[in-house]
């Protein structure tokens, strides 16, 4: 019962946070300097046309009225029409979202799989020569800007060695029956490798360091000492006892990283001409395309909040000591 | 003793100044020049730095303000009284090969309040010339008027013209026959003519080109981004196309002929077909022009609003009757309106009339035109695929035209070398880098050519001291354009003093550029002659003029 109540409580919080996000999004871009009309400045642009456009965009109405209309539309699941592309925002986001998701998840899964294993290994080899080399190396990858790393990988693996293509999700003019057919093709894998690798290299430091420090803490715990005294093999101690316990906070960071990565993709999507949401977001902000900006940010906010919520709830399930009561 | 002598002297000179205040007005307030950031517009930023430096030598206090485009355009365009000077640019487009749009819209007083004359330049003499060239159908007489307009502007310097940049493109000469590449004057080699005539040398027959910007829409009734026009100029035909020489050329029209200054008779080419197989009829043509003014295509409306009526004659002739004489009609209307099939668009437009949205937000799943390429596929922000229309009267020699969206300039050059693209159609980087890459590669050909577009510094003609033509002349004369060409554009530009690019040979008044003399001494002399004075290194207004705008 208390569990149900906890979930309801979370849901209410979720709704409140969303409303705040929606309101901030609405005000932020309207109060920012810049004008959506700037995208249309052209010698042939007449006064009547400007006024017609303002009316069409609903920008001739007072701010509070625009806000009410915006909220009303949102409640009906209507994200509006992009000023620039003149097409429904939802359609545009949905066309780009799969590309962003596949890039995000493939890179994060690689990063976390590697980070967790390497973190556990490094904790186990604490004080060894391996650690002396590995830790500075990991810190270096954390400090490298993504665009720089992306350009270096591009220069080496694409332009110099010619192993991977430089941009896009498929070769010029290649046609696939469905997104599924594209995503399961070998060609797609070749196009995905470099951008995913860039993101993975950039992202693996966090789970690695987190895993390592958790492991070091856990290894000092009494139950680990107990397991060793029992004479269990090192493998069993490290993997079955220590690693499982050290994993929890890393899983939370994964959930948060998904949300973070959705917007962090901007740079990598630009470097590798990846047709995703991040690139679109930058364009929309600079063109003052309010509906598109609001829609895209709203989606990202929902994902972030949702992933946090899931992480919170999962925590309770994975570790009975954490209670929601 | 010596000190005393000096003190007496300076006291005396102070006394003279105090006694005759008419000698100098107030010091000119610090003036602000806007530029976009170095990261996005390196050449503009560098030019403005050089200009500010020269202006400071004249005794002005100059502040360079760096603003992103969104903020800059917001102030310049919507708060017209609140700025001094700003860097600005006009881009070239085929239909701007006729100088009317620039001569009229940028400087005619009627567009000063809310239109493109955002600088607030008002000169009745100029208005008369701008209007007269618009009405003059005789090419030779019209040329004289265009020359006159350029002379008045050179005299008044409402803007400070800087350069006509050179556009640089490249292609793989192992894939495409270099002889089949067409250089359209003022546009460069990336143009419709090139795409139609590119001849494959080997197995590769797809034109694969890049763009840094996304395609916004492929809609014959919506003027969206510049890249979009590359696409719809291939999918849709027009009665007239601007030829490689910059002059109009009959296209879907077999011929056209003026009958008086308000009537033009067009003969439609026989045997044309829409991409869905139906014939192109005179009714379709008439419908295309009517669709523009139907109220559902507001951006195209200005281009067709001068048409009084269109009569379909026997055979396949159409007679256009105009409301006002318009010399630019052939280029800016017949060469601008996309021909669209009536059977596709009439139901759509009737349906849209009952709705809040207009045709600008109607994206066809499969756009149908009659042009040299057919629409095949559009992947959002990734690529557009067109296939050659082999039945077209000017059928392309390539098989497909594939536009890849590549926001990363360095990657685009790398892709050109690796063969992922074979025509570099958009290059915003340093041309020297490209030349070097071509040298290393051996398979690439780089072509630079002067644009019809231009870069300039706009003066706010409403605000003192910029309301004084003499002041504007001096500021303009202070800067050697060769310096801008070399230091800011690394040689890839032509110095300018005219809004009509040398690329438009017929209309360009070479004399106004040749006669323009620049230098610090010339500028200082101009200011002195106009009564401006230097006091303690600071420039002052002439006479007893007060500074009314100082903060």
């Amino acid at each position: 019962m208390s569990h149900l109540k906890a979930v309801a409580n979370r849901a209410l919080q979720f709704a409140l946070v969303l409303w705040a996000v929606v309101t901030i999004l609405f005000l932020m871009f309207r109060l920012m300097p810049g004008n959506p009309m700037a995208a249309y400045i052209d010698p042939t642009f007449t006064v009547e046309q400007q006024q017609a456009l303002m009316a069409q965009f609903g920008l001739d109405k007072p701010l509070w009225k625009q806000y009410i209309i915006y909220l009303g539309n949102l409640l009906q699941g209507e994200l509006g029409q992009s000023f620039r592309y003149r097409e429904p925002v939802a359609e545009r986001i949905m066309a780009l979202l799969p590309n962003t998701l596949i890039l995000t998840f493939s890179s994060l899964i690689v990063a976390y799989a590697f980070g967790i294993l390497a973190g556990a290994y490094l904790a186990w080899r604490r004080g060894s020569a391996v650690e002396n080399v590995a830790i500075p190396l990991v810190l270096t990858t954390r400090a490298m800007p993504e665009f720089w790393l992306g350009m270096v990988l591009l220069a080496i693996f694409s332009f110099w060695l010619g192993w991977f293509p430089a941009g896009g999700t498929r070769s010029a003019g290649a046609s696939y029956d469905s997104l599924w057919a594209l995503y399961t093709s070998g060609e797609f894998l070749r196009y995905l490798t470099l951008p995913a690798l860039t993101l993975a290299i950039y992202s693996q430091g966090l789970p690695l360091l987190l895993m390592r420090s958790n492991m070091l803490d856990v290894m000092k715990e009494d139950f680990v000492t107990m397991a060793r005294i029992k004479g269990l093999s090192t493998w069993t101690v490290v993997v079955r006892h220590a690693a499982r316990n050290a994993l929890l906070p890393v899983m939370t960071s994964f959930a948060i990283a998904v949300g973070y990565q959705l917007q962090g993709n901007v740079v990598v999507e630009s470097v590798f001409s990846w047709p995703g949401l991040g690139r679109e977001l930058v364009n929309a902000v600079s063109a003052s395309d309010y509906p598109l900006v609001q829609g895209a940010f709203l989606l990202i906010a929902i994902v972030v909040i949702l992933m946090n919520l899931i992480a919170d709830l999962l925590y309770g399930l994975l570790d009975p000591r954490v209670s929601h009561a | 003793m010596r000190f005393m002598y000096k003190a007496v002297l300076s006291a005396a000179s102070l006394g003279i100044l105090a006694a005759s205040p008419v000698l100098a007005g107030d010091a000119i307030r610090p003036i602000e020049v806007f530029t976009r950031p170095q990261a996005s517009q390196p050449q503009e930023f560098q030019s403005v730095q050089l200009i500010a430096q020269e202006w400071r030598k004249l005794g002005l206090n100059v502040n360079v303000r760096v603003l992103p485009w969104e903020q800059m355009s917001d102030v310049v365009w919507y708060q017209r009284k609140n700025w001094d000077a700003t860097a600005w640019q006009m881009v070239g487009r085929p239909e701007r090969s006729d100088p009317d749009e620039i001569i009229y819209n940028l400087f005619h007083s009627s567009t000063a309040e809310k239109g493109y004359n955002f600088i607030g330049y008002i000169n009745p003499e100029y208005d008369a010339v701008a209007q007269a060239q618009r009405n003059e159908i005789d090419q030779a007489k019209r040329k004289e008027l265009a020359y006159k307009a350029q002379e008045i502007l050179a005299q008044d310097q409402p803007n400070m013209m800087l350069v006509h940049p050179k556009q640089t493109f490249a292609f793989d000469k192992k894939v495409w026959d270099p002889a089949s590449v067409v250089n359209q004057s003022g546009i460069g080699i990336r143009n419709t003519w090139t795409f139609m005539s590119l001849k494959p040398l080997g197995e590769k027959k797809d034109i694969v080109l890049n763009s840094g910007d996304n395609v916004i829409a492929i809609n014959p009734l919506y003027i969206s981004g510049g890249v979009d026009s590359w696409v719809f100029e291939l999918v849709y035909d027009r009665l007239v196309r601007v030829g490689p020489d910059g002059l109009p050329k009959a296209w879907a029209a077999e011929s056209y002929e003026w009958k008086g200054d308000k009537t033009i008779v067009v003969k439609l080419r026989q045997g044309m077909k829409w991409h869905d197989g139906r014939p192109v009829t005179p009714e379709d043509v008439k419908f295309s022009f009517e669709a523009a003014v139907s109220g559902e295509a507001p951006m195209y409306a200005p281009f067709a609003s001068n048409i009084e009526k269109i009569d379909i004659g026997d055979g396949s002739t159409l007679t256009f009757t105009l409301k006002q004489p318009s010399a630019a009609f052939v280029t800016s209307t017949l060469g601008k309106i996309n021909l669209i099939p009536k059977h596709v668009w009439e139901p759509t437009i009737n349906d849209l009339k009952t709705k809040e949205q207009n045709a600008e937000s109607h994206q066809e799943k499969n756009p149908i035109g009659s042009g040299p390429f057919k629409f095949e596929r559009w992947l959002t922000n990734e690529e557009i695929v067109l296939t050659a229309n082999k039945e077209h009267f000017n059928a392309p020699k390539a098989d497909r035209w594939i536009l890849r969206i590549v926001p990363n300039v360095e990657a685009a050059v790398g892709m050109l070398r690796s063969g992922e693209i074979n025509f570099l159609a958009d290059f915003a980087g340093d041309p020297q880098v490209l030349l070097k890459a071509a040298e290393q590669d051996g398979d690439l050909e780089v072509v630079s050519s002067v644009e019809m577009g231009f870069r300039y510094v706009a003066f706010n003609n409403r605000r003192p001291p910029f309301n004084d033509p003499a002041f504007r002349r001096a500021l303009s004369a202070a800067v050697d354009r060769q310096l801008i060409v070399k230091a800011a554009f690394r040689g890839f530009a032509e110095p300018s003093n005219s809004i009509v690019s040398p690329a438009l040979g017929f209309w360009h008044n070479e004399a106004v550029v040749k006669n323009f003399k620049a230098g610090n001494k010339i500028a200082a002399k101009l200011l002195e002659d106009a009564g401006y004075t230097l006091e303690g290194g600071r420039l002052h207004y002439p006479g007893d003029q007060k500074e009314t705008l100082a903060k």
Side-chain angles (χ1 to χ4, degrees):
Chain A
M1 192 59 215
S2 74
H3 201 74
L4 254 181
K5 209 174 149 191
V7 173
N9 220 336
R10 289 282 175 189
L12 190 70
Q13 274 182 23
F14 181 73
L16 267 172
V17 171
L18 260 189
W19 173 74
V21 167
V22 159
T23 307
I24 291 170
L25 281 179
F26 177 84
L27 289 174
M28 188 164 73
F29 293 106
R30 278 170 178 78
L31 298 180
M32 235 168 54
N35 187 316
M37 296 293 142
Y40 301 95
I41 291 174
D42 187 284
T44 55
F45 202 57
T46 64
V47 187
E48 296 77 41
Q49 275 175 283
Q50 280 182 41
Q51 280 157 354
L53 261 179
M54 291 290 271
Q56 205 187 330
F57 293 170
L59 294 171
D60 53 343
K61 300 186 179 73
L63 206 59
W64 64 269
K65 229 178 203 169
Q66 289 181 40
Y67 179 64
I68 304 252
I69 294 172
Y70 167 59
L71 278 189
N73 283 343
L74 271 187
L75 285 176
Q76 295 169 41
E78 175 61 59
L79 291 175
Q81 202 190 36
S82 153
F83 291 166
R84 203 151 160 256
Y85 299 102
R86 308 290 173 92
E87 71 172 71
V89 168
E91 236 170 70
R92 189 137 197 113
I93 290 177
M94 283 311 147
L96 300 169
L97 189 63
N99 290 333
T100 291
L101 287 181
I102 200 153
L103 179 59
T104 302
F105 278 99
S106 57
S107 63
L108 281 183
I109 287 168
V110 170
Y112 273 74
F114 172 81
I116 287 166
L117 291 176
Y121 175 75
L122 285 176
W124 176 42
R125 300 291 304 272
R126 175 122 172 96
S128 68
V130 182
E131 188 185 38
N132 290 339
V133 179
I135 297 297
L137 200 68
V138 171
L139 290 174
T140 310
T141 61
R142 283 293 289 164
M144 283 192 293
E146 281 169 291
F147 73 89
W148 183 81
L149 179 61
M151 288 305 291
V152 168
L153 291 183
L154 205 55
I156 296 174
F157 293 105
S158 183
F159 301 143
W160 185 39
L161 296 172
W163 292 353
F164 296 100
T169 66
R170 63 182 91 194
S171 60
S175 146
Y176 290 88
D177 293 337
S178 65
L179 267 185
W180 177 251
L182 170 70
Y183 289 165
T184 49
S185 69
E187 182 177 74
F188 179 74
L189 200 63
R190 287 186 58 235
Y191 278 86
L192 178 68
T193 304
L194 287 183
L197 189 65
T198 307
L199 279 174
I201 291 175
Y202 182 74
S203 316
Q204 49 71 42
L206 179 69
L208 191 152
L209 295 173
L210 205 57
M211 186 66 191
R212 177 176 164 274
S213 71
N214 287 336
M215 280 287 283
L216 290 176
D217 283 347
V218 173
M219 303 258 272
K220 284 189 208 127
E221 300 256 349
D222 293 345
F223 73 92
V224 176
T225 318
M226 184 66 193
R228 287 199 175 167
I229 293 170
K230 277 200 285 187
L232 298 177
S233 69
T234 312
W235 173 258
T236 316
V237 174
V238 171
V239 176
R240 300 266 318 267
H241 289 82
R244 271 176 72 178
N245 280 286
L247 211 55
L248 271 175
V250 182
M251 291 325 287
T252 319
S253 86
F254 179 83
I256 296 165
V258 169
Y260 178 79
Q261 198 81 289
L262 281 183
Q263 48 199 319
N265 278 354
V266 172
V267 172
V268 167
E269 285 181 359
S270 300
V271 171
F272 294 97
S273 308
W274 192 262
L277 204 55
R279 237 171 77 197
E280 189 68 286
L281 200 59
V282 174
N283 285 333
V285 170
S286 62
S288 297
D289 192 342
Y290 301 150
L292 187 51
V293 165
Q294 286 163 182
F297 271 115
L298 186 62
L299 183 85
I300 290 172
I302 290 175
V303 172
V304 172
I305 300 170
L306 214 60
M307 291 308 280
N308 272 311
L309 187 70
I310 291 171
D312 260 9
L313 295 175
L314 270 184
Y315 224 84
L317 284 178
L318 291 175
D319 188 347
R321 286 172 301 178
V322 180
S323 101
H324 293 292
Chain B
M1 185 63 211
R2 213 179 147 76
F3 169 78
M4 276 293 288
Y5 173 74
K6 248 186 153 176
V8 168
L9 202 84
S10 60
S13 56
L14 272 176
I16 292 165
L17 275 177
S20 50
V22 262
L23 265 183
D26 283 353
I28 294 172
R29 69 180 185 281
I31 57 172
E32 275 194 336
V33 196
F34 297 167
T35 170
R36 288 174 284 177
Q38 184 164 28
S40 64
Q41 295 288 336
Q43 293 125 338
E44 178 173 304
F45 180 87
Q46 183 64 31
S47 303
V48 169
Q49 297 295 344
L50 292 168
I51 290 163
Q53 197 179 315
E54 294 301 321
W55 287 355
R56 285 184 192 119
K57 288 184 196 159
L58 298 176
L60 282 165
N61 192 341
V62 185
N63 297 325
V64 174
R65 253 185 88 189
V66 181
L67 295 170
W69 164 249
E70 297 75 38
Q71 289 181 35
M72 182 164 126
S73 58
D74 197 34
V75 178
V76 172
W77 200 263
Y78 298 102
Q79 306 168 38
R80 299 196 169 191
K81 289 187 182 121
N82 295 346
W83 55 277
D84 288 325
T86 181
W88 205 263
Q89 80 183 97
M90 281 289 294
V91 296
R93 289 204 201 130
E95 61 272 16
R96 286 188 186 148
S97 301
D98 187 291
D100 176 70
E101 188 173 308
I102 283 164
I103 288 182
Y104 193 91
N105 290 326
L106 265 60
F107 302 101
H108 194 271
S109 61
S110 65
T111 67
E113 203 188 325
K114 291 199 167 149
Y116 215 96
N117 185 355
F118 60 89
I119 57 171
Y121 173 62
I122 303 207
N123 178 349
E125 187 202 356
Y126 183 85
D127 279 2
V129 174
Q131 188 64 51
Q133 67 78 30
R134 176 166 270 200
N135 296 351
E136 184 57 67
I137 282 160
D138 185 295
Q139 285 282 70
K141 284 185 191 153
R142 188 163 170 235
K143 180 176 174 169
E144 268 173 43
L145 290 163
Y147 269 46
K148 178 78 185 154
Q150 292 171 66
E151 278 155 23
I152 297 174
L153 293 176
Q155 178 60 28
D156 280 357
Q157 296 284 331
N159 290 326
M160 174 179 177
M161 295 298 297
L162 296 177
V163 296
H164 300 279
K166 282 183 187 165
Q167 288 231 54
T168 305
F169 304 105
F171 62 95
D172 191 325
K173 61 185 176 196
K174 291 274 155 60
V175 177
W176 304 112
D177 182 357
S180 67
V181 173
V182 183
N183 197 345
Q184 183 171 354
S185 70
I187 301 287
I189 62 164
R190 183 245 297 136
N191 63 64
T192 311
W193 301 101
T194 293
F195 297 142
M196 287 188 285
S197 67
L198 270 184
K199 201 171 130 209
L201 290 171
E203 288 295 295
K204 287 184 188 162
K205 292 189 168 70
D206 290 343
I207 304 171
V208 187
L209 66 161
N210 71 308
S211 155
D213 293 324
N214 292 334
V215 171
I216 294 171
I218 305 173
N219 182 336
L221 294 176
Y222 175 28
I223 302 176
S224 37
V227 184
D228 303 15
S229 68
W230 309 354
V231 183
F232 63 66
E233 277 181 30
L234 294 173
V235 174
Y236 297 94
D237 277 323
R238 296 162 182 191
L239 286 176
V240 166
R241 275 191 203 269
V242 175
D245 57 358
L247 296 174
K249 190 173 150 73
W251 185 250
E254 205 173 274
S255 63
Y256 60 87
E257 195 186 346
W258 283 103
K259 309 262 185 200
D261 63 358
K262 285 199 214 169
T263 311
I264 186 163
V265 178
V266 172
K267 191 165 187 322
L268 184 65
R269 188 184 287 271
Q270 298 291 305
M272 287 174 62
K273 278 192 181 137
W274 298 110
H275 295 157
D276 62 5
R278 299 224 214 163
V280 178
T281 65
E283 283 76 16
D284 287 319
V285 176
K286 186 177 182 213
F287 172 80
S288 304
F289 286 86
E290 287 166 353
V293 290
S294 64
E296 297 300 319
M299 290 208 165
Y300 273 101
F303 298 98
S305 58
N306 190 27
I307 299 171
E308 171 88 47
K309 64 183 166 89
I310 301 170
D311 296 306
I312 296 176
D314 38 308
S316 41
T317 61
L318 295 111
T319 307
F320 290 77
T321 310
L322 310 188
K323 293 173 188 161
Q324 304 289 329
S326 165
F329 183 78
V330 172
T331 303
S332 62
T333 303
L334 299 185
K336 178 83 179 175
I337 301 293
N338 296 306
L339 299 186
I340 53 175
K342 189 176 179 179
H343 61 271
V344 171
W345 280 95
E346 195 173 44
T348 309
I349 285 180
N350 287 339
D351 179 47
L352 285 165
K353 278 186 176 158
T354 65
K355 290 183 180 160
E356 210 176 301
Q357 283 140 358
N358 59 32
E360 288 175 358
S361 34
H362 181 79
Q363 178 59 53
E364 291 174 275
K365 281 272 164 284
N366 191 12
I368 292 184
S370 61
F373 283 89
K374 293 181 188 179
F375 176 88
E376 188 176 315
R377 193 166 57 244
W378 179 7
L379 298 167
T380 309
N381 296 359
E382 185 169 12
E383 73 172 13
I384 297 224
V385 182
L386 308 179
T387 46
N389 178 7
K390 297 289 183 193
E391 289 172 61
H392 194 266
F393 59 84
N394 193 7
K397 296 183 184 64
D399 281 351
R400 293 194 294 179
W401 185 88
I402 302 169
L403 175 68
R404 303 277 283 181
I405 312 297
V406 183
N408 178 350
V409 179
E410 284 83 9
V413 177
M415 285 174 170
L416 182 67
R417 294 191 59 181
S418 69
E420 276 181 73
I421 61 172
N422 53 43
F423 196 106
L424 188 72
D426 187 5
F427 180 70
D430 180 355
Q432 299 288 0
V433 172
L434 195 54
L435 286 173
K436 215 170 154 195
E439 206 176 291
Q440 288 168 356
D441 192 274
D443 291 349
L444 308 181
E445 184 155 326
V446 179
V447 185
S448 289
S449 49
V450 182
E451 271 184 60
M452 72 171 83
F454 46 85
R455 303 276 189 149
Y456 62 106
V457 171
F459 297 131
N460 193 338
N461 288 231
R462 298 173 183 87
R463 272 160 82 110
F466 298 100
N467 61 349
D468 178 4
F471 183 78
R472 297 194 302 257
R473 270 197 293 278
L475 256 55
S476 183
V479 181
D480 181 0
R481 303 302 194 270
Q482 287 294 352
L483 183 73
I484 303 278
V485 168
K486 284 187 192 125
F489 288 82
R490 306 194 68 176
F492 285 83
E494 276 291 311
S496 169
N497 185 38
S498 164
I499 50 164
V500 181
S501 163
L504 303 176
F506 184 80
W507 304 106
H508 173 68
N509 186 341
E510 207 186 333
V512 301
V513 183
K514 265 196 176 155
N515 297 337
F516 182 73
K517 299 276 179 289
N520 179 264
K521 289 213 174 77
I522 297 169
K525 178 81 167 57
L526 282 168
L527 286 172
E528 197 188 321
D529 290 350
Y532 291 83
T533 53
L534 265 176
E535 320 267 332
R538 229 11 234 289
L539 193 67
H540 285 237
Y541 282 106
D544 53 0
Q545 194 177 334
K546 297 276 168 243
E547 175 56 83
T548 50
L549 291 159
K551 281 175 197 153

